[in-house]
């Protein structure tokens, strides 16, 4: 088990709920998820824990499962987005 030195909140607008209530273009969803994954991988490798928000339409390809130290809070609407964002 890795001792996590710091918890970092990472928010990517498209995958994190910024498109709730709107059409989410596939290319933007893929690019946003890829950026979020790349940053999370680097932070986890540096020994940090990562917390993020993910809209339910968003998927991040980790292979088998999300890595240890990665915590995603799922948001469904503007209200849960605002609440989750303020709590993170």
């Amino acid at each position: 088990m890795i001792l996590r030195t710091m918890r970092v909140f990472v928010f990517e607008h498209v995958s994190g709920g910024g498109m709730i209530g709107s059409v989410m273009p596939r290319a933007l969803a893929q690019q946003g998820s890829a950026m979020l994954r790349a940053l999370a991988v680097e932070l986890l490798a540096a020994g940090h824990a990562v917390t993020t928000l993910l809209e339910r339409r968003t998927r991040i390809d980790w292979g088998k499962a999300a890595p240890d130290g990665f915590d995603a809070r799922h948001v469904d609407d503007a209200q849960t987005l605002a609440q989750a964002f303020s709590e993170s």
Side-chain angles (χ1 to χ4, degrees):
M1 177 181 230
I2 298 173
L3 178 62
R4 302 290 175 187
T5 58
M6 181 179 6
R7 177 161 295 281
V8 179
F9 175 66
V10 177
F11 180 75
E12 193 285 313
H13 181 78
V14 175
S15 61
M19 302 290 290
I20 287 178
S22 301
V23 174
M24 183 187 299
R26 184 178 179 150
L28 282 181
Q30 291 172 336
Q31 293 166 10
S33 296
M35 288 187 291
L36 176 61
R37 182 185 182 283
L39 182 55
V41 165
E42 293 297 320
L43 289 167
L44 291 165
H48 304 299
V50 176
T51 299
T52 193
L53 304 179
L54 288 178
E55 183 178 341
R56 295 247 180 231
R57 297 181 288 176
T58 303
R59 300 287 177 262
I60 296 180
D61 182 13
W62 293 108
K64 295 181 180 179
D68 182 45
F70 182 81
D71 178 38
R73 300 184 68 188
H74 293 278
V75 296
D76 297 311
D77 55 41
Q79 183 178 357
T80 57
L81 172 61
Q83 181 180 357
F85 195 87
S86 68
E87 292 173 356
S88 295

